[in-house]
Amino acid sequence: AAGVIQSPRHLIKEKRETATLKCYPIPRHDTVYWYQQGPGQDPQFLISFYEKMQSDKGSIPDRFSAQQFSDYHSELNMSSLELGDSALYFCASSFRQGQGYGYTFGSGTRLTVV
Amino acid sequence: AQTVTQSQPEMSVQEAETVTLSCTYDTSESDYYLFWYKQPPSRQMILVIRQEAYKQQNATENRFSVNFQKAAKSFSLKISDSQLGDAAMYFCAYRSAGTNAGKSTFGDGTTLTVKP
């Protein structure tokens, strides 16, 4: 079965650079979530999209932006990168109307800012 | 805002034995969902089991079962016949059931070690 696809798997950037993370949800899933997980920490919610509209916003820095496209894939854009942005970034997808079902997570993008 | 608390940062269990991971949460909502996710060293997040708050019956998935105590706001995970592959970080998560809901709130996680 198709899973949530995230690219790239690993990314190394320098401070003040820009990074773009991509997420391709499971077909027919209409909701995408972005989470940031620092080393040894729990996932922190960043932002979510339902039917291409932002549905919720968490602790996402102003330097970050995201959107969901017509094919339901989503991109997280991160500018003016800081060392503290180094983390594992997860994308997850689900049915909005099937809230009782857990997320399906992608494998994550490990971002290292040097 | 909802909070999820996992009071056991680390747990260990002997292979083939049973272990229980605890989770408590705080909410004023009456309808919600609870989940346990597993994160092995590969860092992939995997859904283990889910529970609807309106169901009194505890969810079971093979060797994994929960003890859901709604009044006490407790949601523990029991792993029976533990296997080496169960070694992972386990996260408890809460999700509202409202129409505008969607995001999940995660606990801090419990690292489970399985000893051969």
Side-chain angles (χ1 to χ4, degrees):
Chain A
V4 177
I5 306 297
Q6 287 189 250
S7 66
R9 289 293 302 274
H10 301 275
L11 190 59
I12 299 175
K13 289 285 186 179
E14 294 188 354
K15 284 193 303 183
R16 293 179 290 278
E17 284 193 322
T18 297
T20 297
L21 279 53
K22 296 184 179 182
C23 169
Y24 295 86
I26 288 177
R28 295 185 298 280
H29 277 191
D30 52 17
T31 308
V32 168
Y33 309 85
W34 285 97
Y35 280 82
Q36 177 192 58
Q37 186 179 25
Q41 297 179 0
D42 58 298
Q44 295 294 315
F45 173 71
L46 293 177
I47 196 167
S48 63
F49 293 88
Y50 166 60
E51 284 292 344
K52 293 154 279 183
M53 298 287 288
Q54 181 181 307
S55 56
D56 202 353
K57 193 171 182 180
S59 51
I60 183 170
D62 292 340
R63 300 177 288 107
F64 294 7
S65 65
Q67 58 182 323
Q68 186 179 32
F69 295 86
S70 58
D71 64 350
Y72 293 97
H73 95 272
S74 178
E75 294 183 4
L76 177 65
N77 298 293
M78 310 158 72
S79 62
S80 302
L81 287 169
E82 302 174 356
L83 295 179
D85 296 329
S86 296
L88 189 60
Y89 289 83
F90 282 110
C91 170
S93 73
S94 74
F95 276 120
R96 179 72 168 187
Q97 298 304 316
Q99 294 174 14
Y101 296 89
Y103 299 154
T104 300
F105 280 89
S107 298
T109 293
R110 183 174 297 282
L111 172 67
T112 303
V113 181
V114 297
Chain B
Q2 295 79 26
T3 58
V4 178
T5 301
Q6 294 178 247
S7 59
Q8 306 153 316
E10 298 179 349
M11 291 283 285
S12 67
V13 62
Q14 206 71 35
E15 194 176 5
E17 295 193 342
T18 297
V19 64
T20 299
L21 309 184
S22 65
C23 171
T24 58
Y25 56 95
D26 187 26
T27 184
S28 58
E29 299 174 332
S30 59
D31 197 13
Y32 49 87
Y33 305 97
L34 297 164
F35 306 90
W36 279 98
Y37 287 90
K38 169 185 177 182
Q39 188 176 41
S42 67
R43 304 302 300 274
Q44 174 75 53
M45 291 283 278
I46 303 163
L47 177 65
V48 174
I49 198 166
R50 65 182 180 91
Q51 174 81 41
E52 292 99 330
Y54 61 86
K55 287 188 176 179
Q56 292 186 337
Q57 186 175 4
N58 289 322
T60 299
E61 288 287 342
N62 300 314
R63 299 183 293 108
F64 298 87
S65 62
V66 299
N67 183 7
F68 173 49
Q69 302 290 328
K70 191 172 184 180
K73 296 179 182 174
S74 170
F75 182 60
S76 60
L77 174 69
K78 186 171 82 171
I79 306 174
S80 304
D81 185 25
S82 297
Q83 300 175 359
L84 295 177
D86 295 333
M89 175 85 86
Y90 286 81
F91 290 98
C92 177
Y94 172 102
R95 188 175 182 183
S96 298
T99 55
N100 292 322
K103 69 178 182 183
S104 288
T105 300
F106 289 80
D108 290 338
T110 297
T111 299
L112 177 66
T113 302
V114 181
K115 299 177 181 177

